[in-house]
Amino acid sequence: MNRWIKNLKAKRSLLVVLFAIVITVVFALTQYNTKEKYKAYVSARFGPDMPRFVELLERADRLYAEILEKGSMNGRQSYLLSDIHHDLADIIRTYRDLAVFLRLRDDSFRYNQSSPNAMIIMRYFNDPDIESPINLDQRTRNHIAVFREFDSGWIAAVDRDIVSYRINDASWLRFLEAVETSTITFLAERQMDSLNDLWQDRKSTR
């Protein structure tokens, strides 16, 4: 009788172990499939997003040139510059998060100075009160010139020889790192913590 009970307990223990192994394997496969589906989803966006990043910067540069040449800014220009920098910040944030999710970088890679500074520019131009063209004083034009120079650093950091970026190619990580290096260098050369140092006195610049 005792032997029968021992055998039963041993079988139960074995079943528990086997069940735990099955659950672990199923969970691992589910996680793998989820990651692969996510990678497939992101890959569909990936190709267009990286070239679009440069296109957005070039569009912003044309807007800056128009504004600085005329010394005035209208609601459309202000809206477009705000919208462009929102998208730039979103692209940086999305792909830095992706690098962490895919375990290509550790969690600290999420934290950067590039996307927050792009959002500062976004907020600077997010002014619904601007409709008809307004004349800008010299200080405001100086601010806009700094923003243009900041963006130009990002353009210069991009490797134009890369026609397309692939998720399995480290070129997109180098892209993000080059943009971040440009941001850090730009701020350090001007002894600024962020572009917010310009934003602080914006209301007195017009």
Side-chain angles (χ1 to χ4, degrees):
M1 184 70 176
N2 289 337
R3 183 180 297 177
W4 181 82
I5 293 174
K6 286 181 180 179
N7 287 338
L8 182 61
K9 287 182 178 180
K11 288 179 180 179
R12 285 179 177 174
S13 297
L14 180 60
L15 287 173
V16 169
V17 171
L18 289 174
F19 182 75
I21 291 172
V22 169
I23 292 296
T24 301
V25 171
V26 170
F27 177 77
L29 288 173
T30 302
Q31 291 292 95
Y32 176 80
N33 288 334
T34 299
K35 181 175 285 189
E36 288 303 304
K37 287 178 181 178
Y38 182 70
K39 285 173 68 175
Y41 164 73
V42 173
S43 292
R45 294 183 47 183
F46 199 77
D49 269 351
M50 292 300 174
R52 179 168 166 264
F53 188 89
V54 178
E55 291 170 5
L56 289 169
L57 288 169
E58 290 174 341
R59 192 184 310 167
D61 190 68
R62 290 192 293 271
L63 289 165
Y64 287 138
E66 292 174 8
I67 292 167
L68 292 172
E69 181 181 353
K70 295 181 179 179
S72 63
M73 179 170 60
N74 58 43
R76 174 184 167 276
Q77 292 167 325
S78 179
Y79 170 80
L80 286 174
L81 283 168
S82 180
D83 193 54
I84 284 170
H85 286 87
H86 175 275
D87 288 351
L88 291 170
D90 186 58
I91 290 172
I92 293 170
R93 199 164 40 238
T94 296
Y95 290 106
R96 292 183 83 91
D97 285 347
L98 175 64
V100 175
F101 179 80
L102 297 178
R103 297 183 180 178
L104 299 173
R105 293 291 185 273
D106 63 34
D107 198 58
S108 65
F109 196 70
R110 296 182 194 275
Y111 306 103
N112 68 96
Q113 296 190 51
S114 299
S115 52
N117 277 282
M119 291 300 290
I120 288 170
I121 299 177
M122 184 276 287
R123 288 191 296 270
Y124 189 92
F125 290 107
N126 184 22
D127 192 340
D129 294 332
I130 300 177
E131 294 180 2
S132 56
I134 58 170
N135 292 323
L136 306 176
D137 65 20
Q138 188 58 49
R139 183 176 291 182
T140 301
R141 278 178 278 178
N142 288 345
H143 285 183
I144 293 173
V146 171
F147 295 150
R148 186 185 189 188
E149 190 177 352
F150 177 83
D151 285 4
S152 295
W154 284 6
I155 294 175
V158 176
D159 187 350
R160 299 300 187 92
D161 292 332
I162 300 176
V163 178
S164 63
Y165 290 84
R166 298 176 182 176
I167 201 164
N168 294 322
D169 186 333
S171 57
W172 65 281
L173 294 169
R174 292 193 293 271
F175 173 99
L176 293 170
E177 288 163 350
V179 168
E180 181 68 2
T181 297
S182 173
T183 299
I184 293 170
T185 301
F186 183 93
L187 296 175
E189 287 176 349
R190 289 156 186 79
Q191 298 182 332
M192 298 167 64
D193 293 328
S194 73
L195 292 176
N196 209 39
D197 291 350
L198 296 173
W199 166 257
Q200 297 295 342
D201 63 350
R202 178 179 183 241
K203 295 186 182 297
S204 63
T205 64
R206 294 182 183 168

